[in-house]
Amino acid sequence: MPNLPDVVLWSIPAFVLLTAVEMVSYRIHPDDDKAGYEVRDAATSLSMGAGSLVFDLLWKIPTVAIYTAVYELTPLRVPVEWWTIPLMLLAQDFLYYWQHRGHHVVRILWACHVVHHSSRRFNLTTALRQPWTSLTSWPFYLPMILLGVHPAAVAFCYSVNLVYQFWIHTERVDRLPAPLEFLLNTPSHHRVHHASQGGYLDRNFGGILIVWDRMFGSWAGETVKPVFGLTKNITTYNPLRVATHEYVAIARDVRAATNWRERAGRVFRGPGWRPGPGPGADGRADEAVEGRVDSRLDARADGRAEAGPVTAEPAA
């Protein structure tokens, strides 16, 4: 088993220090244009982060068992060397892009990830607002295991990706120099990802690199000021309700569905999907409502207009 450091554990002092610095910066230089901090919101984010540590220990048991079994079955082996680790990080970041994108476009996966988007604030504590049902992520990294990457190395790469994304949850950092903005996921790119306006929805899925979004047509630049949160925001600070509200909404929609096709759609189609009134001229009966929303209303359901022009790159 490779001897790799626990980067999350080693990063905790930096998390605490940077969060304190950001909080103090808002005290010394308040900015009405920034969402800043709110006590109940920050407390909820910290509670979600603490809870995720506990639940992740439970989810690791079946994940490690599956990864270990697959690793033992594959004849391939990738050594953990100084020159292979950057390649592993690159592969994990690529798979993270698809894991992240999948958790925005499949509702049962979105029910897990919606937790991270549920705050109307965007600060370093938002990075800690993590889901308690992260068991939905492990299948996306099976290709690395099949190629002979040790499960511990996959976990190390995932942790590096997670730690990197901490610092990009801030409004205190403006755009970086153009070469960095082109290559890396930055606070500007991630503000777009957390915004609730229609033109910003489901954009910028990258973890460390933003080049995957540029390659696969999901990139958008920050133009108008982002409005953070969901298109229909939740009104609770109760961590248990924050963690489960979309699962409850799915159960409610499935219970109200009139046939099995609609039930499947409510679970496995996009978060904004709802059945149409019947087949139209093109023979399609379903209607897809774009955007991520907890109870899946229209992107203007909370009374806000969509964003203005958004710079987006076409799919490669």
Side-chain angles (χ1 to χ4, degrees), residues 43-275:
T44 300
S45 294
L46 293 173
S47 298
M48 298 306 300
S52 72
L53 294 176
V54 175
F55 283 100
D56 281 352
L57 290 175
L58 298 176
W59 305 137
K60 281 180 181 177
I61 297 172
T63 300
V64 169
I66 295 169
Y67 279 2
T68 301
V70 174
Y71 181 75
E72 292 300 324
L73 289 173
T74 180
L76 303 175
R77 289 292 181 268
V78 176
V80 179
E81 304 286 352
W82 67 267
W83 61 273
T84 59
I85 290 177
L87 297 176
M88 292 178 191
L89 289 168
L90 185 66
Q92 190 276 333
D93 196 57
F94 174 74
L95 295 176
Y96 174 85
Y97 169 85
W98 291 107
Q99 176 235 305
H100 195 180
R101 188 166 182 167
H103 277 69
H104 275 251
V105 300
V106 177
R107 191 181 183 190
I108 192 63
L109 302 183
W110 170 248
C112 165
H113 186 59
V114 68
V115 170
H116 187 59
H117 286 268
S118 60
S119 175
R120 299 188 215 185
R121 308 278 170 164
F122 191 74
N123 54 55
L124 293 176
T125 65
T126 308
L128 306 177
R129 186 177 285 229
Q130 295 295 322
W132 294 357
T133 55
S134 56
L135 190 61
T136 56
S137 297
W138 68 266
F140 291 88
Y141 303 102
L142 275 176
M144 291 184 70
I145 305 294
L146 287 167
L147 289 173
V149 179
H150 195 281
V154 174
F156 169 78
C157 293
Y158 189 90
S159 296
V160 171
N161 202 311
L162 189 67
V163 167
Y164 174 86
Q165 291 187 60
F166 176 79
W167 78 278
I168 62 176
H169 289 81
T170 184
E171 292 187 90
R172 296 311 245 178
V173 177
D174 203 354
R175 285 184 177 83
L176 301 180
L180 297 179
E181 290 287 338
F182 183 83
L183 180 65
L184 298 174
N185 194 9
T186 65
S188 178
H189 294 320
H190 210 56
R191 285 192 291 268
V192 168
H193 179 71
H194 274 258
S196 61
Q197 295 106 312
Y200 282 161
L201 291 177
D202 300 330
R203 297 286 184 171
N204 299 357
F205 298 111
I208 296 174
L209 301 176
I210 202 67
V211 292
W212 312 122
D213 290 280
R214 296 184 186 278
M215 289 172 61
F216 298 111
S218 55
W219 178 81
E222 186 180 26
T223 53
V224 299
K225 178 176 167 31
V227 178
F228 303 112
L230 304 170
T231 57
K232 182 172 185 277
N233 286 300
I234 58 176
T235 58
T236 180
Y237 295 99
N238 182 321
L240 182 60
R241 291 182 62 191
V242 173
T244 61
H245 72 271
E246 183 64 9
Y247 293 105
V248 172
I250 291 174
R252 182 173 61 245
D253 288 345
V254 169
R255 187 166 56 247
T258 57
N259 56 63
W260 284 104
R261 184 170 179 273
E262 182 183 347
R263 292 185 186 100
R266 293 293 192 180
V267 176
F268 299 111
R269 297 287 293 267
W273 178 87
R274 58 177 177 241

